Amino acid sequence: MKERIVDVLRKDPSDELIAIEGWVRTKRDSKNVCFLEVNDGSSLKGIQIVFDKNTFSDLAALNNVTTGSAVICEGTLVASGGGGQSVELAASALTLVGECPTDTYPLQKKRHTLEYLREIAHLRARTNTFGAVARVRNTLAWATHKFFQDKNFLYVNTPIISSSDAEGAGEMFRVTTLDLLNVPKTEDGQVDYTKDFFGKQTFLTVSGQLEGETYALALKNIYTFGPTFRAENSNTKRHLSEFWMIEPEMAFCDIHGNMALAEEYVKYLFSEVLRKNEEDMEFFSRHYEAEMGTTLQKIIETPFIRLTYTDAVKELAKKNDTFEFPVSWGTDLQSEHEKYLTEVVFKSPVIVTDYPKEIKAFYMKLNDDEKTVRGMDVLVPRLGEIIGGSEREANLEILESRMRALKLNPEDYWWYLDLRRFGSVPHSGFGLGFERAVQYVTGMGNIRDVIPYPRSPKSAEF
Ligand code: 4AD
Ligand code: MG
């Protein structure tokens, strides 16, 4: 029976015959003995395999093993003489499953830059960093389902191909089967989308929220967890063109219940990572963001600051001379402002609420002042916005007038407006950017390094 290396490393030395399988990270050869370090992705640490060249029979196979080779090794666990591990495998048999030519294998023993590894994304999961990121990402996905399932939220799958712009921001990728060299036209020269695959214009979704709301207004508490797409020309370290989002939606819930859920969810994610990925988190602290464990622990234990946009602007305006983009009431908060609030003023995550209606999406509930809306963004130190959400506008007339003010056609959203016609209730929800969460807990500087195959402007290799 082949075992996972993570399980083998926890065992005590014994005469039991053990087999592991994986990829060779390093090989150290001398006259009498050969050491392989083999990793199977089950943990950051690989296992050290020792071959006594005086007794090991299959030296021909051993000679052909190189960095990157796939091997199966059999032997017994013995106490390790070297530092770094308590046990090692004294090999009695070796199968070289897949050879790996050293002269062309792009991953050598030395440390590679993250930029180089992005170019070989199909192989980068074989490095310590990307193995650790993949395990942490898995924990966060698992914890997401656990968190919402334990609260009896229903997991709903919203469409990926959509005909409506959920954010009203016009940042959508078109989905079409029309021949680009021979586009059908209407009599007045426009593109004739009735000839397109779906008989109308369609796009990749920017958010599952609107469809999610339709299920919340029947089943009360739901969440989505799916891919979303933004044709936004932002080449930054925290934007992707394709990213995953978790969007809970709750009927009979106002912005306060929404903020409470967001805070509880973020804290749960962080605590699960600390509990399940101790070794990986220690690695990230050592190589990427010092004291990450302590930082997360402090966030888990401290209530998030709640602050209105108006108060945030008052605080920020005091420092306007230090910002690249000075703030005044009505301007959107930039990354530098989010950093200043979370890192300098409060040294804590901050939930900013009640933004000017002009800078937020059409569906957010209008406050009595008619100037601000019940939006809420959760900002965290270093990264800025990790969650965006709101209480939704539940009043039909107000929602329609908000759409018109933002140059959207209410007719395009007829089914969404029906929710306000038939049994409308206060309801709220938010979206957590999954890669932002992975980026935050790992301390990885660039969001392109926390998703297996990042998509960004001018880049969609693999
Ligand atoms: O603030 P956003 O645009 O909100 C929505 O999409 C709402 N429909 C959510 C809801 O209320 N159900 O996006 C939500 C989150 C952001 O806070 C951010 O973490 C992440 O999604 N996000 C991105 N992550 C990576 N790359 C991008 N281009 C992102 N845009 C948003
Ligand atoms: Mg947002």
Side-chain angles (χ1 to χ4, degrees), residues 9 11 31 44 47 100 122 143 145 173 192 218 247 269 289 299 302 361 364:
L9 289 173
K11 292 188 165 189
K31 193 159 157 274
L44 187 75
I47 189 165
C100 185
H122 60 304
H145 285 295
F173 289 101
D192 184 1
E247 295 185 276
L269 290 181
E289 184 68 37
I299 290 179
T302 320
M364 296 193 183

Side-chain angles (χ1 to χ4, degrees), residues 167 207 209 230 232 238-240 243 245 247 363 385-389 392 429-431 433 436 447:
E167 292 300 305
S207 154
Q209 177 194 324
R230 306 253 166 124
E232 187 184 6
R238 46 176 219 162
H239 285 90
L240 289 165
F243 63 99
M245 196 169 14
E247 295 185 276
Y363 51 70
E385 180 186 340
I386 192 165
I387 282 180
R392 317 307 188 189
F430 62 80
R436 297 251 175 115
I447 198 165

